[in-house]
Amino acid sequence: MKAQRHFTRGEPKRVGNVVIIASMLLSLLFLSLIKSRYCASPSHVRTDAHLNSGLNANEVVRNEKTHSTDSTVEEDEDEEVQINPAALGTVSLADINNKPICFVPTKRSETCDARGDIRVKGSTNTIYIPTITQEHKIKPYARKHDEVALSYVKEWTLKPSTGDQALPKCTQKHSVPAMLFSSNGFTGNLFHDYTDVLVPLFINTYPFHGEVKLVVSQIKSWWINKFILVFKQLTNYDIIDVENDDEVHCFPRVIAGPTYHKELGVEPSKTPTGFSILEFKRMLRTAFKLERAEVVPTSKPKLLIISRKTSRRFMNLKTMIGAAEKLGFEVKTAEADMHTDPPTFARLVNSVDVMLGVHGAGLTNMVFLPVGAVVIQFVPYGNLEWLTKETFKDPAPDMGIHYMDYFVQLNESTLSEQYPKDHPVLKDPTAVHTQGGWDALKSIYLDKQNIRPDIEKFKKMLVEALRLIRSKKKHHVQMN
């Protein structure tokens, strides 16, 4: 038989105490909910601005070997590296779909930004990341839309580093972030060197003020050496040839895959501090010790003609030079190819007021022109306006450069001597593009064509160029 419970005088008091305590606990819980809802830490917010953001130099606690080469870590794996919490920035967690911390700023590139205990094993092209739950693969080259280019680029795997999985032991620990990119793809062509690699790398590394390490996949030593002065502006450290060592590099943050905005350009609205391609040009002036930031009009302006030895040659180059000299120009000619010494050529381009050439990689050197200079692009016959517009016409204004088109007519092209007058190549170039694609376009209109400019039309263009360099206005001119 159960004993009956009898309430004494003290029972109501105890019940009251319980009610008070419960009320306090509920209040604390309610306050916590309010804080988490309205005062959430930014570490749980994933935005492109956070992914693109860099570190100020004073955000990293640097040890005594800051600028030395990476030394092998012989201590225990759990040895603590001196890292200011600010070095981790916003900890980008995997999103609710358990996808890696990657984003596609444009169809041209994909960038993955991971923070925490990140381990990079180059011998297996693997990055171990604690904040993801699914594997993800990336090719760290800013030409994601181009299957041909990516066929030359090694794939890297972003692998979760949580759970029971055995992690590779750190053999080199770094206190600053890493920027991983491939130096393969279409590198070796000057246009692709800049638009696929150097400008995208600048977008990612500029905010770090040198406090970032460049980790290179498929390294080409000759190519790295060619642009070593540029890389020294992007990083304060030696470049890491990650696939040709047996190290496991550990970083507080890894950015894999350079971020592309547009051809030879930077979108200030997509950068954390609003920097633009003008900062890139300023960096190049420092790297190559260029003297001129902007054009200063003189009585004898300088003209540089980019010459070519194979296709798209100027057939009457001597006549062109003579006409330019009569107008008061000091004329120089030079060929820009993969063997050109960048510092020497950069100083040559920076010294002139007008640069001209037929569409091709050599016009990429306009990045060295001072503000207020003029670049003249000869557009080969064949309805190639869309190609020449994207590659050089569109980037010019952002660089502070006056741009002029010279549209080559059929009677100025050697194609008129190679095909009958009623041939589709001459009569309907667009149909040739559509039916044959890029290969047909390139093999016919770029590789088989040389140019013989009309000298009177050419002189009119130079007169307009003179007017532009003596003015301070941006202007676009087309000559047919």
Side-chain angles (χ1 to χ4, degrees):
M1 180 176 176
K2 284 185 180 180
Q4 288 185 337
R5 185 174 182 184
H6 299 280
F7 291 97
T8 65
R9 289 179 178 270
E11 193 72 13
K13 185 176 181 180
R14 286 195 296 271
V15 172
N17 290 338
V18 170
V19 172
I20 293 171
I21 293 171
S23 299
M24 292 175 64
L25 291 173
L26 287 172
S27 298
L28 288 172
L29 178 61
F30 181 68
L31 290 172
S32 297
L33 289 172
I34 291 176
K35 182 178 180 181
S36 63
R37 173 64 179 86
Y38 296 103
C39 305
S41 168
S43 64
H44 299 289
V45 180
R46 178 181 180 272
T47 66
D48 287 353
H50 288 133
L51 292 173
N52 282 323
S53 65
L55 304 177
N56 292 323
N58 61 0
E59 288 180 329
V60 180
V61 179
R62 301 166 59 188
N63 58 32
E64 294 178 356
K65 297 182 179 180
T66 300
H67 292 278
S68 64
T69 56
D70 302 306
S71 56
T72 301
V73 175
E74 299 178 352
E75 292 80 10
D76 185 80
E77 182 182 0
D78 294 326
E79 176 200 2
E80 183 178 354
V81 179
Q82 283 190 321
I83 302 174
N84 188 310
L88 296 177
T90 300
V91 180
S92 301
L93 302 177
D95 63 22
I96 58 174
N97 294 319
N98 291 322
K99 293 179 181 177
I101 39 184
C102 300
F103 61 104
V104 181
T106 68
K107 68 177 183 178
R108 278 281 299 267
S109 67
E110 178 180 21
T111 299
C112 297
D113 188 339
R115 317 186 195 204
D117 179 14
I118 314 298
R119 307 186 184 199
V120 179
K121 189 174 182 181
S123 60
T124 60
N125 299 102
T126 305
I127 303 173
Y128 296 88
I129 302 173
T131 54
I132 63 173
T133 57
Q134 292 182 354
E135 282 192 4
H136 184 74
K137 297 184 183 298
I138 183 173
K139 291 191 173 184
Y141 183 80
R143 208 167 180 84
K144 183 178 173 65
H145 71 305
D146 192 327
E147 293 182 2
V148 176
L150 289 190
S151 68
Y152 302 113
V153 180
K154 278 188 178 180
E155 189 173 68
W156 281 70
T157 300
L158 279 60
K159 192 180 287 284
S161 61
T162 55
D164 298 329
Q165 178 181 352
L167 292 176
K169 182 178 179 179
C170 295
T171 59
Q172 286 199 28
K173 292 187 178 182
H174 309 268
S175 61
V176 298
M179 177 72 228
L180 171 70
F181 69 98
S182 172
S183 68
N184 214 31
F186 287 158
T187 55
N189 174 290
L190 191 65
F191 178 75
H192 292 288
D193 291 340
Y194 277 88
T195 201
D196 295 351
V197 184
L198 297 179
V199 173
L201 272 182
F202 174 79
I203 291 171
N204 290 115
T205 60
Y206 180 73
F208 291 95
H209 306 290
E211 288 303 299
V212 60
K213 295 193 177 184
L214 300 182
V215 179
V216 186
S217 173
Q218 297 173 281
I219 198 166
K220 297 177 180 177
S221 297
W222 66 267
W223 187 83
I224 295 293
N225 290 334
K226 181 175 182 178
F227 294 105
I228 193 63
L229 295 178
V230 175
F231 292 127
K232 285 183 177 180
Q233 294 298 311
L234 302 180
T235 178
N236 297 329
Y237 304 88
D238 289 342
I239 290 173
I240 298 175
D241 179 5
V242 71
E243 290 167 346
N244 293 318
D245 63 29
D246 295 322
E247 308 290 349
V248 176
H249 297 271
C250 294
F251 296 94
R253 178 182 180 185
V254 171
I255 302 171
T259 299
Y260 172 94
H261 286 171
K262 56 185 179 180
E263 297 286 21
L264 295 178
V266 178
E267 288 283 4
S269 62
K270 295 181 180 179
T271 64
T273 58
F275 61 86
S276 70
I277 195 67
L278 292 177
E279 276 76 22
F280 179 76
K281 290 185 64 175
R282 188 177 299 118
M283 179 270 291
L284 292 179
R285 289 202 304 274
T286 301
F288 297 127
K289 295 181 171 56
L290 307 182
E291 296 181 356
R292 304 171 78 213
E294 59 183 306
V295 166
V296 177
T298 62
S299 58
K300 197 171 185 65
K302 294 181 180 179
L303 167 67
L304 173 63
I305 299 177
I306 303 293
S307 60
R308 298 176 61 93
K309 289 182 179 178
T310 54
S311 64
R312 286 163 276 160
R313 287 183 293 123
F314 287 121
M315 302 298 289
N316 53 347
L317 181 59
K318 289 184 179 179
T319 306
M320 293 171 64
I321 293 172
E325 289 177 339
K326 286 181 180 178
L327 290 173
F329 281 100
E330 178 185 335
V331 183
K332 300 180 180 181
T333 62
E335 181 181 6
D337 58 26
M338 64 184 299
H339 303 295
T340 301
D341 177 53
T344 301
F345 209 88
R347 286 191 283 271
L348 171 61
V349 174
N350 185 252
S351 71
V352 305
D353 307 294
V354 180
M355 184 181 81
L356 67 83
V358 183
H359 172 79
L363 289 179
T364 309
N365 287 288
M366 72 184 196
V367 296
F368 306 120
L369 286 172
V371 170
V374 176
V375 62
I376 303 173
Q377 177 174 208
F378 281 67
V379 182
Y381 179 79
N383 291 354
L384 302 180
E385 292 86 345
W386 63 272
L387 176 61
T388 59
K389 178 179 184 296
E390 290 181 0
T391 49
F392 301 114
K393 181 176 183 176
D394 288 347
D398 290 345
M399 296 184 190
I401 298 170
H402 300 291
Y403 176 88
M404 302 176 73
D405 284 311
Y406 185 110
F407 290 109
V408 174
Q409 302 303 301
L410 182 56
N411 65 333
E412 299 174 284
S413 168
T414 57
L415 290 176
S416 64
E417 304 164 7
Q418 301 174 46
Y419 295 91
K421 291 182 179 180
D422 59 350
H423 196 282
V425 166
L426 306 184
K427 298 291 287 184
D428 194 358
T430 300
V432 175
H433 300 177
T434 303
Q435 295 169 15
W438 172 256
D439 289 339
L441 181 157
K442 181 178 184 299
S443 63
I444 296 172
Y445 299 104
L446 296 181
D447 294 346
K448 288 184 179 180
Q449 182 170 187
N450 292 317
I451 312 296
R452 187 178 290 105
D454 178 276
I455 294 302
E456 290 304 312
K457 186 170 73 170
F458 175 64
K459 288 193 294 186
K460 289 179 181 179
M461 174 151 277
L462 291 184
V463 169
E464 178 62 18
L466 282 171
R467 187 187 70 79
L468 287 174
I469 60 177
R470 288 166 181 165
S471 72
K472 298 245 178 172
K473 298 178 181 178
K474 291 183 180 179
H475 193 52
H476 301 285
V477 177
Q478 297 180 356
M479 295 293 284
N480 294 303

